[in-house]
Amino acid sequence: MIIIGELINGMYKDVTRAINNREADIIQHLALEQVKEGASILDVNTGPYSKDPTRDMKWLVETIQAVVEVPLSLDSTKADVIEEGLKITRKRAIINSTSADTDRMDIIFGLAKRYNAQVIGLTMDKTGVPNSKGDRLELAQAIVAKAIEYGINTEDLYLDPILLPLNVAQAQAAEVLESLREIRLLCNPAPQTVFGLSNLSQGAYKSRSIINRTFLTMAIANGLTSVILDPLDRKLMDALITAELLLNKNIYCESFLDAYRKR
Ligand code: THG
């Protein structure tokens, strides 16, 4: 499983404050902790309240790269903000993300080609997130076709069927599970699959952690290859490691949780 740490995101109030006050130590602590707990990529999002997202992205990337070496997932709806990050990332970056809209895909896949980046494609378009698995698959197919048109290796494409909060769209979680299975069959080599796990439990307060980890194990069994999550949630990471063990992706031993973490 490719684990993308979600914590450097202006959606978190503490992170927004750290960005605004240029408190590098707070961001660097989050970067170091996430990598220590198993993140192999860090998502970087200036958040919805940033007044100058281009400058904030540049500062975040520089600040993070001063302490960790992992690749970064440049998370923004604005192409110029993403490009600012692409100019200075030292490891191969992931662009997070494009929608299935043709004009957006042309810009994003153009950037991916120019900077040799990987791309996350969301199965949504200007009309929003579709309700059914079938409509998600249709948009996924359009993204795959565009990636191929730009000469992107489909292994470097991550398709995100988009998890919505359970408390507003309960029926959608099951549609996402089925989408995961079928997305893997769209092309050869198979695209990666990914989603933002914490979306699912937004507004669920007390039960967030149990909802997240239960769904994650189900998704792993349905072909999820990568996930954006909070790697500091110990029980969640235990569930992830155990799910991979049960799918025979790691070797069982009495202390498999420790063994996996020490790798
Ligand atoms: N797909 C892709 N990228 C994504 C998402 C996705 N990036 C952003 C997001 N979704 C994944 N990251 C988060 C980060 C935080 C939360 C949810 C998803 C979150 N934050 C707390 C909340 O809203 O309750 C913040 C509250 C606080 O200040 O503590 O839930 O789906 N490709």
Side-chain angles (χ1 to χ4, degrees):
M1 188 69 36
I2 300 166
I3 297 164
I4 306 174
E6 74 177 12
L7 294 178
I8 302 178
N9 187 318
M11 264 202 280
Y12 293 103
K13 291 178 213 75
D14 298 358
V15 172
T16 288
R17 200 176 320 122
I19 295 171
N20 290 338
N21 300 335
R22 293 294 189 254
E23 294 169 300
D25 54 329
I26 291 178
I27 301 299
Q28 290 173 338
H29 180 73
L30 284 172
L32 287 164
E33 287 293 300
Q34 290 186 93
V35 170
K36 183 170 137 237
E37 296 304 324
S40 49
I41 299 173
L42 297 179
D43 194 58
V44 186
N45 186 319
T46 62
Y49 311 112
S50 172
K51 290 189 200 80
D52 191 346
T54 313
R55 277 191 57 203
D56 288 349
M57 178 60 87
K58 181 166 189 279
W59 178 75
L60 281 172
V61 170
E62 286 168 351
T63 301
I64 295 163
Q65 288 189 150
V67 293
V68 293
E69 302 226 311
V70 296
L72 303 180
S73 153
L74 304 166
D75 187 354
S76 177
T77 52
K78 301 189 179 73
D80 55 331
V81 174
I82 289 169
E83 183 161 16
E84 196 69 18
L86 288 171
K87 283 182 196 161
I88 55 172
T89 41
R90 287 202 289 261
K91 289 276 161 68
R92 190 178 191 197
I94 302 183
I95 298 176
N96 186 9
S97 54
T98 184
S99 63
D101 294 303
T102 308
D103 48 350
R104 173 81 178 175
M105 288 196 289
D106 280 319
I107 294 168
I108 294 298
F109 285 124
L111 281 176
K113 203 67 204 162
R114 193 158 351 127
Y115 291 93
N116 183 36
Q118 298 184 309
V119 176
I120 296 179
L122 308 176
T123 63
M124 65 179 289
D125 62 13
K126 289 193 174 77
T127 67
V129 179
N131 286 320
S132 70
K133 171 199 79 175
D135 292 346
R136 281 180 165 86
L137 259 292
E138 218 166 276
L139 294 173
Q141 182 68 69
I143 298 169
V144 167
K146 200 57 150 176
I148 291 170
E149 183 189 319
Y150 275 82
I152 308 277
N153 183 339
T154 49
E155 277 169 310
D156 293 326
L157 179 65
Y158 294 67
L159 290 173
D160 181 342
I162 307 186
L163 262 184
L164 298 169
L166 210 51
N167 64 0
V168 298
Q170 190 181 344
Q172 293 293 304
E175 298 289 324
V176 166
L177 284 181
E178 293 198 19
S179 303
L180 291 172
R181 254 184 203 286
E182 296 188 25
I183 283 170
R184 298 281 291 159
L185 306 173
L186 280 176
C187 54
N188 190 4
Q192 309 292 332
T193 50
V194 68
F195 54 56
L197 180 62
S198 298
N199 299 2
L200 182 67
S201 60
Q202 269 175 331
Y205 306 107
K206 253 175 43 191
S207 36
R208 284 198 82 158
S209 182
I210 181 73
I211 291 171
N212 289 349
R213 69 179 178 272
T214 303
F215 190 73
L216 179 61
T217 59
M218 296 164 80
I220 292 172
N222 278 273
L224 187 71
T225 68
S226 149
V227 60
I228 304 169
L229 53 62
D230 173 5
L232 307 191
D233 181 336
R234 252 292 148 134
K235 285 184 173 169
L236 177 62
M237 293 300 286
D238 283 354
L240 182 155
I241 294 165
T242 308
E244 294 211 292
L245 179 85
L246 294 170
L247 291 169
N248 200 28
K249 291 179 181 167
N250 294 311
I251 295 170
Y252 177 76
C253 64
E254 201 42 48
S255 53
F256 67 90
L257 291 173
D258 290 336
Y260 181 93
R261 287 197 163 95
K262 281 195 190 108
R263 273 203 323 221

